[in-house]
C-alpha cells in the first residue's frame, strides 16, 4: 500500500491544479459515479451480503437507492447551489457588488462506518465532489468486503489523483489523521469522534461528526398502537438493529407495555415469518465482537420476546426487554443490535425529563395522536433530528439536514446541506476604485458632524 | 457552569419574550455605560471617542436592532420540500439553542467582539458565559457592569488569564465561540474535542493586499492607509502586507505619506484619531518587527505611550521576521512582485488568510485574484468594508461558521431536522416492510425517486 502521505500529497497537488473547480468537471465525475453504481450493482450487493448478510431489495433500498437519489438530486441542483448568492446592500455599498461565493475547501477526508458501508462512504463523497474538493475516502475495515470493493471500483471510474481510497484499520487511520485536511467527515462512535476532532484541532480542520447515542422512542397512550408498533418494528430491526438512528429504547406508560410487546410480536411474524433465522430479510450482527457485546447487555434482564442466539452465524433474534431499569447496562450504551428495552414512565413530563438528563441523541421519536404533545416534546428536548409518528424517515428527506448535536455529533449533510458543509462561504465585496467622495465620511480626522452623518 | 446548566435544563432561555427582554437590557447597558466605555477604550487603545462610538457602540446597537427586528422571523421553523411519499407530512428545520455557550473575547475591539457574539447567542436562546480578555480595561469594566443587567441565572462573566481560561475549558460546554490567535485556537479546539463541543474560531492570519499597476494611486493609498492604521493596526482583517511592482511602489510611497498626513497630521502622536498598542508586551512584539527591511515612512516609537508611528517598510523579503507572523500593529511591509500571476502564487503558497484585498481599475484583474485565491472574505478596491454588510457572513476558512446578523443567530442554533408524519394511511407504508419482493421494491423506488430533469424527456 502506497504511503498515506503520498496519496494525500497527490490529492492536494491535483486540487491545486484547479481541475475540480469547473462545474462541468464535477458533474462529469458524478455521472461516472452513477455509472459505477448502475453497472457494478451486482458486485456491490455481493459485498453487502458478505459483510452483513444484507440481500435483495432490502440491500438495494438501504444502500443503493439513496445513493442514486442523492446523485440525481446533486447533478440537477449543482448549478443553483454553486451560484454566487448576491446579498442585500446598504447605503454605503449601493454601487458595489456584494455576494457570497461558494468555493471548495480543498482536500476532504471521509471516514465511513461499517453498518451501511456503501452508502456512508458514497453520500459524503458525492457532496464533497459536488463542492469541488479532492477527496480521500477511508471505508471501515470492519465491513472488509465493501471496503475492498470501493478501493477497487473508485479508481476505475473517477479521477485517480483527486479521489483516492485508503484501506486499513486503526494504524492506517491514525496515520491518515496526522495529515492535514480541509474538512473531515467522520461517521462512527463518540469515542473515536473525540480522537478525530483532537487530531483535526492540530491543523484547525473543521469536522462533521456523525456519531450515535441512544435514540429514545416515546409512545403515548393516545395513539394507534398497532400502526406505531409496526413502524417501530421496521426501524428497530432493519439491518439487525445496526442503524445509528434506530429507536434505541422505548418509553411508555406501564399500562400499555404488554400491548406494545404483543403488537411488535405480531408485526415480527408478519415481517420475518415464524422462523426468523430462515427469513432472507433478516440480517446478522457484523462480527463476533459486537455479537458478544450485545449478548452481554441481556444479562439480568426480563426477556419478554426473543433472546435466541447463534454465535456461529452471529444471529440474535429480535428481542424485547420489559421493565428495564434506567441504571442497567443496556441503558448505558447505544445498543446497535436487535434488542429493544422498554422503560416505563408515568407521563410525558417524566419522559421528557428522562431524555433531558441523558446525552443528546441523534434521533428522537414520539408517537401520539395529540399534536400538542408532539409539539411539546419537540420544544422541550434536543436531538440531532426527529420524526413524529414514525421512525428513521427524517433521514430520508434530502432537504432536512442530517446530523447530531452534543454527543451525537456536530454538523450535518445530505442534499444541499452536503454541498454547504463541504464549501467555504466566502464573503465578497467588489467596489469601484473611483468615487472616493463617499469614503470621505469614514476617514480621519473625525468630527461631530461627520459622526452624525 | 453547573448553575447555568441547571437553568438551561429548566428552559428559561427558550421563550422569545425572555430573549427579547435580555437583549433590550443589553441595549440599556450600552446607553448607560457609553461614556465609561469610551473612556476605557481611550485608555486601552488610544481610540478616539468618535472611532469607538462608530466602530464599537453604534455597530453593536445596529446588531441589537437588527436582531430584535428580525428575531421572530429567524426563530420560525424553516419548511422544506417533500418527496411524493411525504406530501401529507410536515417537514421543517427547527432552530434549537445549543445550551450553555462559552464566548472568549479578544482585546482589540473590546465592545464589538464581546457583545456581537453575545447578542447572537442570547437571540438563539442559549445560556452564556463570557470570558473577556484580561488585557483590556474596557472588558474589565464590562465584566463588572454587565451581570447586573442580565439574568444572573443564565448569564455570567468569568474573568482571568491563561490559568483561569484553561480551567474554564475543562468544563463541558454546548458551544464555544473563540476570537483570537490560531495557536490559542488550537488549544481551544483540542479542549472542545474532549467533550465533542462544536466551535466557531475567528482567528487571523496575514491578509495580503495586492495593488496592480493600473489604478488610481491616490484613492488606493487612502483606502489602504485607513484600513491598515485603523485601531493602530490591531484589526484581524487589516491589510497585513502589500504586494506590488517596483514601479507601483515608487508611485505609492508619496501617496501613502500624503494620506497619513491628511488623516493624522504631521505628527500622528498628537492626533486624537490615531491609537496606541494595547499593552507593553504587544508593543515590544510589534517594535521588533521594525527590524525587517527598511523604514520608508514613519518608524518612530515611544514606549511610555505605547506609540508606534504609522510605518511603511520597503525592501522586505518573504523570509523576514515581519513576514512570518501577523503584524497586528501600524506597520505596512511592501513585498515586490513582478505581476498578478506571481502575486497569486505568492498568496497561495501561504496559509489562507482571513481576507484578501486586490486593487485595480481593471475588473478582470480583481476577478482573477478573487477566483484564483482562497480566503475568509474578499474585498476588491477597498479594505475592511466587506465586514460592514450584515448580509455578508464574517469568518475565515480555518474559522468555521459565520457571524453577523442572522449568521450569528444561525451559528448559535442547532438546525434540527423534523418530520411529523401522519398515523393514518398505513397502507402507503406497506412497500417498505418485509417480506420483500420485486413488486414492492418497484413501488418504493417510484415514490421516493428524484429524477434528473433531462431523464424525463
Amino acid at each position: 500500500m502506497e504511503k498515506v502521505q503520498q496519496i494525500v500529497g497527490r490529492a492536494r497537488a491535483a486540487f491545486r491544479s484547479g481541475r475540480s473547480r469547473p462545474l462541468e468537471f464535477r458533474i462529469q465525475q458524478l455521472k461516472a459515479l452513477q455509472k459505477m453504481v448502475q453497472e457494478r450493482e451486482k458486485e456491490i450487493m455481493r459485498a453487502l451480503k458478505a459483510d452483513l448478510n444484507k440481500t435483495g431489495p432490502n440491500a438495494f433500498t438501504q444502500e443503493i437507492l439513496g445513493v442514486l437519489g442523492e446523485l440525481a438530486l446533486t447533478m440537477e441542483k449543482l448549478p443553483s447551489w454553486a451560484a454566487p448568492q448576491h446579498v442585500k446592500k446598504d447605503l454605503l455599498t449601493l454601487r458595489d457588488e456584494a455576494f457570497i461565493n461558494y468555493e471548495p475547501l480543498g482536500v476532504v477526508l471521509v471516514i465511513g462506518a461499517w453498518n451501511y458501508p456503501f452508502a456512508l462512504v458514497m453520500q459524503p463523497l458525492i457532496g464533497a465532489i459536488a463542492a469541488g474538493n479532492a477527496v480521500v475516502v477511508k471505508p471501515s475495515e470492519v465491513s472488509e468486503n465493501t471496503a475492498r470493493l470501493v478501493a477497487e471500483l473508485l479508481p476505475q471510474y473517477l479521477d485517480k489523483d483527486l479521489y483516492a481510497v485508503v484501506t486499513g484499520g486503526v494504524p492506517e487511520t491514525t496515520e491518515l489523521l496526522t495529515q492535514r485536511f480541509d474538512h473531515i467527515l467522520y461517521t462512527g462512535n463518540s469515542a473515536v469522534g473525540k480522537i478525530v476532532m483532537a487530531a483535526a484541532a492540530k491543523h484547525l480542520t473543521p469536522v462533521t461528526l456523525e456519531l450515535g447515542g441512544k435514540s429514545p422512542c416515546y409512545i403515548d397512550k393516545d395513539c394507534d398502537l398497532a400502526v406505531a408498533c409496526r413502524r417501530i418494528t421496521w426501524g428497530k430491526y432493519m439491518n439487525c438493529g445496526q442503524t445509528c438512528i434506530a429507536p434505541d429504547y422505548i418509553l411508555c406508560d406501564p399500562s400499555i407495555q404488554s400491548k406494545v410487546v404483543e403488537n411488535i410480536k405480531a408485526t415480527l411474524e408478519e415481517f420475518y415469518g415464524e422462523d426468523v433465522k430462515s427469513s432472507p430479510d433478516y440480517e446478522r450482527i457484523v462480527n463476533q465482537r459486537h455479537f458478544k457485546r450485545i449478548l452481554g447487555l441481556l444479562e439480568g434482564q426480563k426477556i419478554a420476546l426473543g433472546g435466541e442466539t447463534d454465535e456461529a452465524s452471529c444471529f440474535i433474534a429480535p428481542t424485547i426487554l420489559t421493565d428495564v431499569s434506567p441504571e442497567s447496562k443496556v441503558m448505558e450504551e447505544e445498543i446497535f443490535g436487535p434488542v429493544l428495552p422498554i422503560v416505563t414512565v408515568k407521563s410525558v413530563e417524566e419522559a421528557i425529563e428522562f431524555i433531558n438528563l441523558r446525552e443528546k441523541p441523534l434521533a428522537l421519536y414520539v408517537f401520539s395522536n395529540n399534536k400538542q404533545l408532539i409539539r411539546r416534546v419537540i420544544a422541550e428536548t434536543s436531538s440531532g433530528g426527529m420524526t413524529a409518528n414514525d421512525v428513521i424517515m427524517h433521514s430520508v428527506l434530502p432537504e432536512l439536514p442530517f446530523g447530531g448535536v452534543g454527543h451525537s455529533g456536530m454538523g450535518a449533510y445530505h442534499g444541499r446541506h452536503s454541498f454547504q458543509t463541504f464549501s467555504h462561504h466566502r464573503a465578497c465585496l467588489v467596489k469601484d476604485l473611483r468615487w472616493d467622495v463617499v469614503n470621505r465620511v469614514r476617514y480621519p480626522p473625525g468630527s461631530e458632524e461627520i459622526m452624525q452623518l | 457552569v453547573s448553575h447555568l446548566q441547571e437553568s438551561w435544563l429548566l428552559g428559561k432561555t427558550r421563550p422569545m419574550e425572555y430573549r427579547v427582554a435580555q437583549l433590550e437590557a443589553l441595549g440599556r447597558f450600552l446607553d448607560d455605560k457609553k461614556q465609561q466605555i469610551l473612556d476605557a477604550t481611550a485608555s486601552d487603545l488610544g481610540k478616539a471617542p468618535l472611532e469607538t462610538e462608530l466602530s464599537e457602540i453604534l455597530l453593536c446597537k445596529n446588531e441589537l436592532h437588527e436582531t430584535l427586528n428580525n428575531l421572530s422571523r429567524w426563530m420560525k421553523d424553516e419548511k422544506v420540500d417533500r418527496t411524493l411519499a411525504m406530501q401529507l407530512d410536515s417537514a421543517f428545520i427547527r432552530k434549537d439553542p445549543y445550551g450553555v455557550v462559552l464566548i472568549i473575547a479578544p482585546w482589540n475591539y473590546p465592545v464589538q467582539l464581546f457583545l456581537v457574539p453575545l447578542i447572537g447567542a442570547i437571540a438563539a436562546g442559549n445560556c452564556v458565559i463570557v470570558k473577556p480578555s484580561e488585557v483590556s480595561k474596557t472588558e474589565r469594566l464590562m465584566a463588572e457592569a454587565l451581570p447586573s443587567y442580565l439574568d444572573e441565572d443564565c448569564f455570567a462573566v468569568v474573568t482571568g488569564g491563561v490559568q483561569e481560561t484553561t480551567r474554564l475549558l475543562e468544563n463541558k460546554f454546548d458551544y464555544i465561540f473563540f476570537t483570537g490567535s490560531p495557536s490559542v485556537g488550537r488549544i481551544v479546539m483540542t479542549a472542545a474535542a474532549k467533550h465533542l463541543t462544536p466551535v466557531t474560531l475567528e482567528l487571523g492570519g496575514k491578509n495580503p493586499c495586492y495593488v496592480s499597476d493600473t489604478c488610481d494611486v491616490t484613492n488606493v493609498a487612502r483606502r489602504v492607509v485607513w484600513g491598515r492604521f485603523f485601531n493602530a493596526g490591531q484589526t484581524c482583517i487589516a491589510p497585513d502586507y502589500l504586494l506590488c511592482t517596483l514601479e507601483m511602489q515608487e508611485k505609492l510611497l508619496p501617496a501613502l505619506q500624503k494620506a497619513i498626513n491628511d488623516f493624522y497630521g504631521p505628527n500622528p502622536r498628537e492626533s486624537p484619531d490615531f491609537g496606541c498598542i494595547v499593552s507593553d508586551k504587544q508593543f515590544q512584539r510589534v517594535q521588533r518587527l521594525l527590524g525587517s527591511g527598511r523604514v520608508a515612512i514613519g518608524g518612530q516609537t515611544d514606549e511610555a505611550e505605547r506609540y508606534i508611528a504609522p510605518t511603511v517598510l520597503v525592501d522586505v523579503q518573504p523570509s523576514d521576521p515581519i513576514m512570518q507572523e501577523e503584524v497586528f500593529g501600524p506597520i505596512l511591509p511592501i513585498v515586490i512582485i513582478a505581476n498578478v500571476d506571481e502575486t497569486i502564487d505568492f498568496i497561495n503558497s501561504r496559509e489562507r488568510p482571513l481576507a484578501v484585498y486586490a486593487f485595480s481599475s481593471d475588473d478582470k484583474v480583481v476577478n482573477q485574484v478573487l477566483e484564483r485565491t482562497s480566503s475568509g472574505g474578499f474585498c476588491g478596491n477597498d479594505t475592511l468594508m466587506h465586514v460592514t454588510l450584515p448580509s455578508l457572513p464574517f469568518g475565515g476558512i480555518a474559522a468555521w461558521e459565520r457571524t453577523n446578523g442572522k449568521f450569528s443567530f444561525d451559528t448559535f442554533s442547532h438546525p434540527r431536522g423534523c418530520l411529523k408524519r401522519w398515523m393514518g394511511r398505513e397502507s402507503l407504508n406497506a412497500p417498505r416492510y418485509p417480506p420483500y419482493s420485486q413488486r414492492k421494491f418497484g413501488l418504493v423506488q417510484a415514490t421516493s425517486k428524484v429524477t434528473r430533469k433531462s431523464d424525463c424527456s
Side-chain angles (χ1 to χ4, degrees):
Chain A
M1 246 231 92
E2 207 187 344
K3 281 203 68 165
V4 154
Q5 211 175 1
Q6 283 170 316
I7 295 175
V8 178
R10 231 190 3 251
R12 191 163 288 286
F15 174 73
R16 284 225 177 95
S17 78
R19 65 177 180 274
S20 62
R21 300 197 84 144
L23 290 190
E24 300 76 45
F25 177 86
R26 306 181 205 179
I27 292 180
Q28 179 212 60
Q29 295 296 306
L30 292 171
K31 246 208 162 330
L33 258 187
Q34 188 186 50
K35 196 157 170 259
M36 178 188 97
V37 176
Q38 288 164 339
E39 283 176 6
R40 314 299 281 262
E41 185 191 307
K42 285 205 170 53
E43 289 160 74
I44 298 169
M45 303 273 275
R46 259 204 303 274
L48 292 170
K49 179 155 190 4
D51 282 330
L52 286 145
N53 200 38
K54 266 200 250 228
T55 48
N58 198 14
F60 194 96
T61 319
Q62 281 180 25
E63 302 250 22
I64 297 187
L65 189 62
V67 169
L68 287 173
E70 189 88 347
L71 274 164
L73 177 72
T74 304
M75 284 191 283
E76 181 186 329
K77 300 279 188 183
L78 186 55
S80 70
W81 291 347
Q85 190 193 330
H86 287 265
V87 298
K88 203 172 69 169
K89 296 182 282 193
D90 60 17
L91 216 57
L92 286 176
T93 45
L94 224 42
R95 304 182 68 94
D96 313 314
E97 260 195 87
F99 54 96
I100 302 172
N101 223 25
Y102 296 103
E103 306 177 353
L105 286 164
V107 183
V108 170
L109 172 64
V110 172
I111 302 178
W114 54 257
N115 56 336
Y116 292 89
F118 188 68
L120 292 176
V121 142
M122 292 293 290
Q123 282 213 311
L125 175 62
I126 292 167
I129 292 177
N133 301 288
V135 192
V136 175
V137 172
K138 161 65 190 74
S140 169
E141 69 281 14
V142 176
S143 44
E144 53 184 348
N145 297 282
T146 312
R148 212 176 305 132
L149 185 65
V150 167
E152 247 177 66
L153 291 182
L154 283 192
Q156 289 176 31
Y157 289 82
L158 301 179
D159 181 312
K160 289 198 217 346
D161 294 328
L162 277 171
Y163 315 110
V165 182
V166 170
T167 52
V170 174
E172 287 81 1
T173 311
T174 309
E175 219 212 304
L176 251 183
L177 286 172
T178 60
Q179 299 300 304
R180 181 177 173 180
F181 294 96
D182 301 295
H183 194 104
I184 300 177
L185 187 146
Y186 166 77
T187 307
N189 66 57
S190 308
V192 179
K194 289 179 184 171
I195 296 172
V196 172
M197 189 171 169
K202 295 202 173 66
H203 296 291
L204 288 169
T205 299
V207 302
T208 297
L209 303 176
E210 298 277 331
L211 309 176
K214 296 183 76 61
S215 300
C217 180
Y218 175 67
I219 307 178
D220 188 32
K221 276 193 283 202
D222 173 19
C223 85
D224 185 336
L225 219 47
V227 173
C229 290
R230 177 176 294 119
R231 297 179 182 186
I232 292 169
T233 306
W234 169 73
K236 173 75 201 184
Y237 299 107
M238 73 162 49
N239 207 28
C240 209
Q242 298 162 119
T243 305
C244 52
I245 41 168
D248 186 278
Y249 64 97
I250 288 182
L251 291 167
C252 70
D253 191 281
S255 63
I256 58 170
Q257 193 179 208
S258 45
K259 276 211 209 70
V260 168
V261 175
E262 264 170 53
N263 275 293
I264 295 180
K265 179 166 192 264
T267 309
L268 282 168
E269 270 174 37
E270 237 185 86
F271 287 1
Y272 305 113
E274 290 277 331
D275 179 20
V276 184
K277 203 158 169 215
S278 54
S279 162
D281 299 320
Y282 191 68
E283 291 95 343
R284 297 291 180 267
I285 300 301
V286 72
N287 61 25
Q288 290 280 320
R289 182 168 72 85
H290 281 283
F291 174 87
K292 288 198 173 85
R293 177 186 64 79
I294 298 165
L295 209 56
L297 300 176
L298 297 177
E299 268 168 52
Q301 296 296 339
K302 212 193 287 178
I303 297 180
L305 182 72
E308 299 88 17
T309 66
D310 174 28
E311 187 159 341
S313 57
C314 286
F315 165 82
I316 299 181
T319 302
I320 305 177
L321 308 174
T322 47
D323 296 318
V324 177
S325 151
E327 282 80 40
S328 53
K329 194 145 192 275
V330 75
M331 286 307 289
E332 266 170 37
E333 57 180 81
E334 187 175 354
I335 295 166
F336 227 64
V339 172
L340 180 60
I342 302 181
V343 174
T344 55
V345 289
K346 296 271 175 32
S347 63
V348 70
E349 285 83 17
E350 213 184 298
I352 290 173
E353 205 190 316
F354 188 94
I355 293 169
N356 286 342
L357 281 173
R358 291 160 164 266
E359 292 299 342
K360 294 178 198 172
L362 186 52
L364 184 144
Y365 302 112
V366 49
F367 285 83
S368 177
N369 286 329
N370 183 342
K371 291 203 171 120
Q372 261 287 71
L373 186 140
I374 292 176
R375 266 200 291 272
R376 192 174 161 197
V377 172
I378 299 177
E380 293 177 27
T381 61
S382 183
S383 64
M386 64 83 58
T387 300
N389 293 331
D390 206 340
V391 297
I392 313 284
M393 296 306 282
H394 64 283
S395 67
V396 159
L397 195 48
E399 282 291 310
L400 287 178
F402 180 67
V405 67
H407 266 223
S408 56
M410 56 183 78
Y413 72 120
H414 281 192
R416 68 184 158 95
H417 306 286
S418 286
F419 180 81
Q420 303 259 315
T421 290
F422 293 117
S423 297
H424 169 55
H425 310 206
R426 190 183 193 190
C428 300
L429 180 63
V430 181
K431 305 198 71 182
D432 197 311
L433 202 43
R434 304 160 295 175
W435 305 106
D436 214 42
V437 159
V438 177
N439 281 346
R440 290 244 180 85
V441 204
R442 75 190 200 209
Y443 297 145
S447 74
E448 270 306 314
E449 308 89 66
I450 291 182
M451 240 287 320
Q452 291 313 321
L453 205 72
Chain B
V1 177
S2 23
H3 181 64
L4 262 61
Q5 278 167 350
E6 275 164 30
S7 305
W8 159 251
L9 282 175
L10 290 170
K12 277 192 88 172
T13 52
R14 287 183 187 251
M16 188 175 108
E17 301 71 36
Y18 178 89
R19 306 183 201 185
V20 167
Q22 298 302 305
L23 291 171
E24 285 173 347
L26 261 183
R28 280 196 303 276
F29 162 80
L30 272 175
D31 288 332
D32 292 348
K33 301 292 175 189
K34 184 165 108 167
Q35 194 50 52
Q36 284 158 282
I37 292 174
L38 293 179
D39 294 336
T41 18
S43 164
D44 275 336
L45 293 150
K47 265 210 247 243
L50 238 48
E51 199 183 294
T52 306
E53 267 216 71
L54 260 179
S55 74
E56 300 254 36
I57 299 195
L58 188 62
L59 193 142
C60 291
K61 294 220 79 180
N62 284 348
E63 187 86 3
L64 259 174
H65 294 156
E66 164 107 359
T67 304
L68 285 166
N69 288 343
N70 293 291
L71 187 57
S72 63
R73 196 165 47 86
W74 293 348
M75 279 176 71
K76 278 204 168 71
D77 291 334
E78 191 190 315
K79 289 202 162 55
V80 300
D81 286 341
R82 297 158 293 182
T83 59
L84 200 64
M86 292 186 189
Q87 287 303 312
L88 296 171
D89 309 318
S90 166
F92 55 94
I93 301 173
R94 161 70 53 94
K95 311 291 172 77
D96 270 347
Y98 277 105
V100 180
V101 169
L102 170 66
I103 294 173
I104 300 178
W107 49 258
N108 58 333
Y109 287 88
V111 183
Q112 190 202 115
L113 296 175
F114 182 126
L115 287 182
V116 168
L118 178 59
I119 291 168
I122 294 177
N126 301 285
C127 292
V128 191
I129 294 187
V130 182
K131 204 312 259 170
S133 167
E134 68 281 15
V135 175
S136 162
K137 278 197 205 70
T138 316
E139 290 177 56
R140 228 170 293 150
L141 158 76
M142 291 170 69
E144 278 158 37
L146 193 55
S148 54
Y149 285 81
L150 299 176
D151 181 345
E152 287 182 310
D153 283 337
C154 304
F155 306 103
V157 180
V158 172
T159 51
V162 173
Q163 268 191 338
E164 288 80 0
T165 311
T166 309
R167 259 215 311 275
L168 190 57
L169 285 170
E170 284 166 16
N171 289 283
K172 178 180 175 181
F173 292 97
D174 300 300
Y175 202 94
I176 298 177
F177 185 97
F178 168 81
T179 309
S181 72
S183 53
V184 180
R186 279 192 189 87
I187 296 171
V188 172
M189 187 171 167
T190 306
K194 294 200 172 75
H195 296 291
L196 288 170
T197 301
V199 303
T200 288
L201 307 174
E202 296 284 337
L203 309 175
K206 293 183 73 60
N207 306 317
C209 179
Y210 169 64
V211 180
S212 87
D213 285 340
T214 41
C215 68
D216 180 325
V217 179
T218 311
N219 286 351
V220 170
R222 290 163 76 80
R223 295 175 190 192
V224 169
V225 164
W226 177 73
R228 168 74 280 187
F229 300 114
F230 194 87
N231 206 27
Q234 295 159 116
T235 306
C236 52
I237 40 157
D240 187 276
Y241 63 98
L242 207 109
L243 293 162
C244 66
T245 60
L246 205 51
E247 295 88 356
M248 179 43 61
Q249 182 183 266
E250 297 314 303
K251 292 193 200 131
L252 260 180
L253 285 173
L256 290 169
Q257 177 75 79
K258 180 166 194 307
I260 292 172
N261 277 6
D262 287 346
F263 291 179
Y264 310 114
N267 187 4
R269 203 159 132 188
E270 285 157 22
S271 165
D273 299 318
F274 185 71
C276 65
I277 308 302
V278 73
S279 69
D280 294 329
K281 183 166 157 218
Q282 285 295 321
F283 171 86
Q284 279 146 21
R285 180 191 65 80
V286 179
Q287 191 185 39
R288 272 195 294 271
L289 300 176
L290 288 170
S292 299
R294 173 173 62 86
V295 173
I297 298 174
Q300 302 89 353
T301 67
D302 182 325
E303 188 151 357
E305 289 179 24
R306 300 195 308 272
Y307 166 81
I308 296 179
T311 302
V312 178
L313 301 176
V314 297
D315 299 338
V316 176
Q317 296 308 311
S319 52
D320 283 336
I322 201 172
M323 289 305 288
Q324 308 318 313
E325 61 181 89
E326 189 175 350
V327 175
F328 226 66
I331 306 175
L332 180 66
I334 303 182
V335 174
I336 302 297
I337 39 80
N339 50 50
V340 71
D341 286 318
E342 213 182 288
T343 300
I344 290 170
D345 286 341
F346 188 92
I347 295 173
N348 287 340
S349 67
R350 297 171 148 257
E351 285 302 331
R352 279 182 288 196
L354 197 46
V356 165
Y357 298 108
F359 284 86
S360 180
S361 310
D362 183 350
D363 282 342
K364 284 205 274 315
V365 172
V366 172
N367 278 326
Q368 259 204 75
V369 178
L370 167 59
E371 274 159 37
R372 289 165 61 192
T373 61
S374 184
S375 60
F378 177 89
C379 188
N381 292 330
D382 210 337
T383 56
L384 310 190
M385 292 303 284
H386 60 292
V387 307
T388 62
L389 260 186
S391 50
L392 281 180
F394 176 67
I397 291 225
W400 331 339
E401 301 303 345
R402 320 126 193 72
T403 56
N404 282 357
K406 177 159 197 294
F407 297 104
S408 277
F409 178 85
D410 285 342
T411 293
F412 293 107
S413 302
H414 163 62
R416 188 182 190 188
C418 301
L419 180 66
K420 286 195 210 166
R421 304 213 74 193
W422 203 24
M423 286 278 243
R425 298 288 190 96
E426 177 60 2
S427 50
L428 283 179
N429 279 342
R432 81 187 195 200
Y433 298 138
Y436 296 113
S437 65
Q438 272 310 114
R439 188 188 66 87
K440 263 194 191 178
F441 166 65
L443 277 166
V444 173
Q445 226 190 357
T447 51
S448 50
K449 206 158 114 143
V450 175
T451 47
R452 185 112 193 258
K453 286 215 168 91
S454 55
D455 289 348
C456 284
S457 56

